[in-house]
Amino acid sequence: MLTFEQKLAVISKFPELERKDVSLGRVNFHYEQSAYDKKSVVYHLHPNGNGFVFAGKLHGYETDDKGFVNIRDFSADALRTLIEASIRSLAPKSTEELAIVGDAEEERWTGPDNQTLLLVNEDELWYVYAGLSLEMAFDTYEEAEAYLKEEGFARL
């Protein structure tokens, strides 16, 4: 288990997060540029090493009813990966993403070299976009998901 100071060192490397000291020596870190009302990425990091990271918009993490993951036993790499994903999940959509997605259902997938692809459901098809470029189209979500996983991508 990482100590409080070790976790602070990992979290402090994210310049987009703003530290907020709260009661009982605990620390929160906010992402002020969040596209959502949710701004807390790290919540109640305690001097005993316990704390929480927001993963409410991510897949593959066991969250509480508010969307937070307990990070007590996380390694430095696991903590860094979770925080990166949390920030990306809260980030405003780029102009490219807005042009492609509009009001359609979409998911972000990340893969090798931190490349992000969008999976968009539109007109009963599933489209995979890299930036403004259409990469692939699929009849079902399952086909698109299998393709993305085969290419080394994971859903945010």
Side-chain angles (χ1 to χ4, degrees):
M1 178 174 90
L2 299 174
T3 66
F4 175 73
E5 290 77 18
Q6 291 169 322
K7 287 178 182 167
L8 273 179
V10 169
I11 298 164
S12 296
K13 296 211 188 239
F14 291 92
E16 55 269 71
L17 297 180
E18 184 178 321
R19 180 180 173 149
K20 306 270 187 183
D21 293 330
V22 293
S23 63
L24 304 173
R26 296 176 298 187
V27 181
N28 291 344
F29 285 85
H30 292 188
Y31 177 51
E32 295 299 330
Q33 292 81 28
S34 175
Y36 304 92
D37 290 338
K38 172 61 69 189
K39 298 204 183 294
S40 294
V41 171
V42 178
Y43 179 70
H44 283 182
L45 180 63
H46 193 277
N48 69 8
N50 199 20
F52 304 89
V53 171
F54 181 71
K57 297 188 172 294
L58 304 176
H59 297 277
Y61 291 97
E62 198 170 313
T63 63
D64 64 15
D65 60 340
K66 294 181 182 177
F68 286 94
V69 173
N70 188 306
I71 58 167
R72 173 183 294 276
D73 297 322
F74 272 46
S75 68
D77 287 340
L79 179 59
R80 194 174 302 108
T81 298
L82 175 57
I83 292 171
E84 287 171 354
S86 180
I87 291 169
R88 279 195 307 267
S89 76
L90 295 171
K93 288 184 172 96
S94 68
T95 305
E96 289 176 344
E97 290 173 328
L98 287 173
I100 292 168
V101 175
D103 292 332
E105 179 184 352
E106 56 92 13
E107 292 179 350
R108 291 183 191 193
W109 288 68
T110 187
D113 302 321
N114 284 328
Q115 181 184 11
T116 300
L117 298 179
L118 287 178
L119 178 59
V120 180
N121 182 351
E122 187 175 24
D123 299 327
E124 298 183 26
L125 292 174
W126 290 89
Y127 298 98
V128 176
Y129 288 93
L132 290 173
S133 300
L134 175 63
E135 294 292 315
M136 298 289 286
F138 299 92
D139 290 325
T140 67
Y141 176 83
E142 291 74 21
E143 291 173 327
E145 180 182 42
Y147 167 78
L148 289 164
K149 286 180 177 178
E150 287 173 12
E151 296 296 320
F153 285 82
R155 187 175 31 214
L156 286 179

